[in-house]
Amino acid sequence: QTQLVESGGGLVQPGGSLRLSCAASTLTLADYSTGWFRQAPGKEREGILCISRSGTVSNYSDSVKGRFTISRDDARNTVYLHMNNLKPEDTATYYCGTLRSWFCRDRGMDFWGKGTLVTVSS
């Protein structure tokens, strides 16, 4: 069974940083396009960033520009979301999703993780 496992969430103060990890078992992330998504309470899931199979990055959220970045470590079969200057409005459950495609998209992924909670609060 394909699994994506997110980790790295937690409680952080405004202005702080976190790095989320999305680790895969039974599939090779370098063969997929992988994105990070988030869902705040009472809101729909939104796409944030995606890294394509070729390494091209797509940004789906203006609110994270200049603060969040995405990277992939093929040796560790892991995709990271680097989050800096966190704000209370970044509080959400963060999910990774992967798609067997050369191209990113902001919905309809083939596989999803179960999410990791990020809380930004003083």
Side-chain angles (χ1 to χ4, degrees), residues 97-117:
T98 198
L99 178 68
R100 192 169 181 88
S101 170
W102 282 98
F103 306 104
C104 283
R105 62 187 186 204
D106 64 350
R107 65 195 66 197
M109 309 303 272
D110 291 335
F111 303 105
W112 291 95
K114 294 183 178 180
T116 185
L117 178 63

Side-chain angles (χ1 to χ4, degrees), residues 28-49:
T28 300
L29 288 176
D31 294 335
Y32 290 73
S33 294
T34 303
W36 281 97
F37 303 75
R38 67 184 180 186
Q39 187 167 17
K43 296 187 177 181
E44 293 186 353
R45 186 178 299 187
E46 65 167 341
I48 307 171
L49 289 163

Side-chain angles (χ1 to χ4, degrees), residues 42-104:
K43 296 187 177 181
E44 293 186 353
R45 186 178 299 187
E46 65 167 341
I48 307 171
L49 289 163
C50 180
I51 184 164
S52 75
R53 182 173 174 179
S54 64
T56 302
V57 174
S58 300
N59 189 322
Y60 298 117
S61 175
D62 288 340
S63 67
V64 307
K65 281 183 180 178
R67 301 189 298 123
F68 291 11
T69 59
I70 189 171
S71 65
R72 188 177 70 214
D73 186 332
D74 292 343
R76 289 180 167 80
N77 203 25
T78 300
V79 171
Y80 300 100
L81 181 67
H82 308 266
M83 305 187 295
N84 297 310
N85 190 21
L86 283 159
K87 304 176 180 180
E89 51 264 42
D90 295 318
T91 295
T93 298
Y94 285 71
Y95 301 88
C96 64
T98 198
L99 178 68
R100 192 169 181 88
S101 170
W102 282 98
F103 306 104
C104 283

